[in-house]
Amino acid sequence: MAILHDVIPPFQLFQPSSLDEAAELLEAYGDDAWIIAGGMDSFDWLKDRTKRTEVVVELGQVPELQGIREVDGGLEIGAMTTLTDIAESAIINERFSVLAKAAGLVASPQIRHQGTIGGNVSQDTRCTYYRSGWTCYRAGGNTCYADTPTAVNREHAILNASRCVAVSPSDTAPALVALDAQMVIRRGSRERVVDAVDYFVGPDLDITRMTVLEHGDLLTSIRMPATWSGARFYFEKVRDREVWDFPLVNIASAVRESGGRIEEARVVVGAVAARPLRLRAVENALAGQLVNTQTIARAGELAIEGARPLRFNGYKVPLMRNLVQRAVRGGPVTGTA
Ligand SMILES: Cc1cc2nc3c(=O)[nH]c(=O)nc-3n(C[C@H](O)[C@H](O)[C@H](O)COP(=O)(O)OP(=O)(O)OC[C@H]3O[C@@H](n4cnc5c(N)ncnc54)[C@H](O)[C@@H]3O)c2cc1C
C-alpha cells in the first residue's frame, strides 16, 4: 500500500493549561481526540495519513504532568517528563539506574529531548505492515501480513503471538516492569492505578491496543516504589545500528542479593512480544541461587522455553537467551553462552 507522507490534515487543537482541563477535554471528545505529548510517534501516523484525528489535545502546557518527585521513599515521574531528563536525573541514576539507562538508549538525542516517558510507554507498535496502513488484524482486518510465508518479519514476535505478531518497541517499558512501577491514569475526575506489568496488553487481550488506555484515559504519572531502590540492575538493548534504532531485543533486570545468593529477581524482555514479558520461570529459578555457571545457563534455557520464531527472526531466540544470561551475570557471558 502506498503511503502519502504529507502535511497533517487539519484538526482542532487544544492546549490545556491544567490537568483538570486536559481530563475534561479528553472525556468530552472521546474517540475523536488524540493526545500529543512529544509527538515523536503521533506525527508519523498523522503525516502518513494512515490514522487521522479531528481533535488534538497537546499536553505541553500542563504543569502537573512535568517533573520527578520523591514520594514515600520512591519516585513519581510526570508523564510529560522527557526521556533526556530521566536519563540525566541524578536521583533516578542513583536509585533506579536501569530506567535512566533505558531512557538514554531510546532513539537519538533529538528524539529523547522531545519524547516523553508517557509517550514512550504508550507508543504504538512499529510493525511495517500495520504502520503502512495494511488492513491487518490490528487494523480491524482478518490477516496478519507479517506472518505469511513471504513476509518480512525479522523484527516481529517470538513469544505470545495471537494472530498478530507485532512487538512492543519501547525501551523504557521493560525497565518499568522490572521496577514494579505503577501507572497512574486519569479519566474525567477519576483516577486509577495500574501495575506496569498489566499496563501493556497483548493481542490475546485486545488486538487493537498496546496498553490498557482507552479513549478518554490520560496517563498522568509513573510511580516507582522504594522496593528495588539500589538493587543490582542490568539493561541492554541490541539494535541494528548503534547510532539510533528500535530494539531488536532489550532486557531489564533487577536483582537483590544477600551473602552471594539471589534473594529476589525481576527479569523482563522487550521486543519479543506485543508487551514486555516478565520471565517468571526465570525469576523463580533464580531465587535462592548463587550466581554461577549453572544458574546462568539454566536461566537462559528457561527464558526461551516456548519461543516460536517466524521465518526471519530465529536469531531472536539465542539473542534473548544470551541477554538473559548476561543480565543474571551482570555482564557479557564468556565461554559457550
Ligand atoms: C526515528 C525514531 C526512532 C525511535 N527509536 C526508538 C527507540 O529506539 N526506542 C524507543 O523506545 N522508542 C523509539 N522511538 C519512539 C519514540 O521514542 C517514542 O515514540 C517517544 O518516546 C514517544 O514519546 P512522545 O512524547 O513523542 O509520544 P507521542 O508521539 O506524543 O505519543 C505517543 C502515543 O502515546 C499517546 N500518549 C502520549 N502521552 C500520553 C499520556 N500522557 N496519556 C495517554 N496517552 C499518551 C499518544 O496519544 C500517542 O498515541 C523512535 C521514534 C522515532 C520517530
Side-chain angles (χ1 to χ4, degrees):
M1 176 174 291
I3 292 191
L4 189 69
H5 200 75
D6 205 340
V7 291
I8 299 174
F11 52 72
Q12 202 178 350
L13 174 65
F14 290 96
Q15 295 182 293
S17 56
S18 72
L19 182 52
D20 284 344
E21 200 188 334
E24 275 168 32
L25 283 164
L26 291 170
E27 191 165 49
Y29 286 98
D31 287 11
D32 290 331
W34 185 301
I35 295 173
I36 285 196
M40 294 294 91
D41 185 30
S42 302
F43 291 147
D44 275 353
W45 282 116
L46 302 178
K47 282 185 187 165
D48 289 347
R49 299 183 171 204
T50 33
K51 290 193 180 180
R52 294 183 184 223
T53 186
E54 298 293 317
V55 171
V56 162
V57 178
E58 192 273 325
L59 301 176
Q61 312 299 317
V62 181
E64 296 97 317
L65 299 178
Q66 300 282 350
I68 300 161
R69 311 169 269 278
E70 285 192 71
V71 177
D72 299 332
L75 294 179
E76 181 165 55
I77 305 176
M80 285 296 288
T81 307
T82 67
L83 295 163
T84 299
D85 283 345
I86 291 170
E88 293 179 356
S89 156
I91 197 161
I92 295 181
N93 275 286
E94 183 194 314
R95 297 191 193 169
F96 304 111
S97 58
V98 66
L99 178 62
K101 179 142 192 216
L105 286 171
V106 170
S108 63
Q110 291 91 337
I111 291 171
R112 292 195 294 275
H113 277 303
Q114 178 71 17
T116 65
I117 186 78
N120 191 260
V121 295
S122 310
Q123 64 177 303
D124 215 332
T125 179
R126 288 272 156 180
C127 170
T128 330
Y129 298 95
Y130 169 63
R131 295 217 50 131
S132 303
W134 294 46
T135 49
C136 62
Y137 281 124
R138 189 168 284 278
N142 60 6
T143 306
C144 174
Y145 294 97
D147 190 12
T148 61
T150 54
V152 180
N153 48 32
R154 258 186 98 242
E155 292 157 2
H156 290 76
I158 54 169
L159 282 158
N160 292 17
S162 170
R163 295 166 295 154
C164 171
V165 296
V167 296
S168 158
S170 169
D171 281 312
T172 61
L176 292 169
V177 173
L179 291 170
D180 291 340
Q182 295 183 314
M183 320 299 269
V184 184
I185 300 167
R186 175 87 179 258
R187 183 178 189 79
S189 57
R190 298 173 303 284
E191 185 178 280
R192 70 185 196 277
V193 178
V194 175
D195 289 340
V197 72
D198 299 321
Y199 180 77
F200 304 98
V201 300
D204 50 338
L205 201 63
D206 189 334
I207 209 162
T208 63
R209 307 187 265 168
M210 303 293 288
T211 69
V212 292
L213 294 181
E214 294 188 58
H215 291 289
D217 283 343
L218 174 64
L219 176 69
T220 59
S221 66
I222 299 172
R223 292 180 187 150
M224 290 174 300
T227 340
W228 290 99
S229 176
R232 172 160 76 81
F233 295 121
Y234 192 82
F235 184 86
E236 189 171 352
K237 163 183 183 174
V238 175
R239 51 193 159 171
D240 278 327
R241 293 171 296 182
E242 283 302 311
V243 190
W244 60 260
D245 219 335
F246 287 95
L248 294 168
V249 180
N250 57 20
I251 185 156
S253 66
V255 174
R256 224 186 345 259
E257 291 164 319
S258 172
R261 281 187 194 275
I262 295 174
E263 280 184 331
E264 201 180 359
R266 295 282 182 276
V267 183
V268 188
V269 279
V272 295
R275 52 186 297 198
L277 289 186
R278 210 180 129 184
L279 303 177
R280 289 177 197 264
V282 173
E283 293 172 5
N284 292 340
L286 290 175
Q289 300 300 314
L290 292 168
V291 180
N292 55 27
T293 317
Q294 216 178 353
T295 306
I296 294 168
R298 172 104 179 107
E301 293 316 316
L302 281 172
I304 56 171
E305 267 183 11
R308 291 188 51 201
L310 304 163
R311 185 170 176 206
F312 292 114
N313 68 359
Y315 74 94
K316 281 196 180 188
V317 178
L319 178 54
M320 178 177 157
R321 184 192 60 211
N322 288 358
L323 286 179
V324 167
Q325 292 181 338
R326 286 182 186 219
V328 176
R329 188 175 188 268
V333 181
T334 50
T336 54

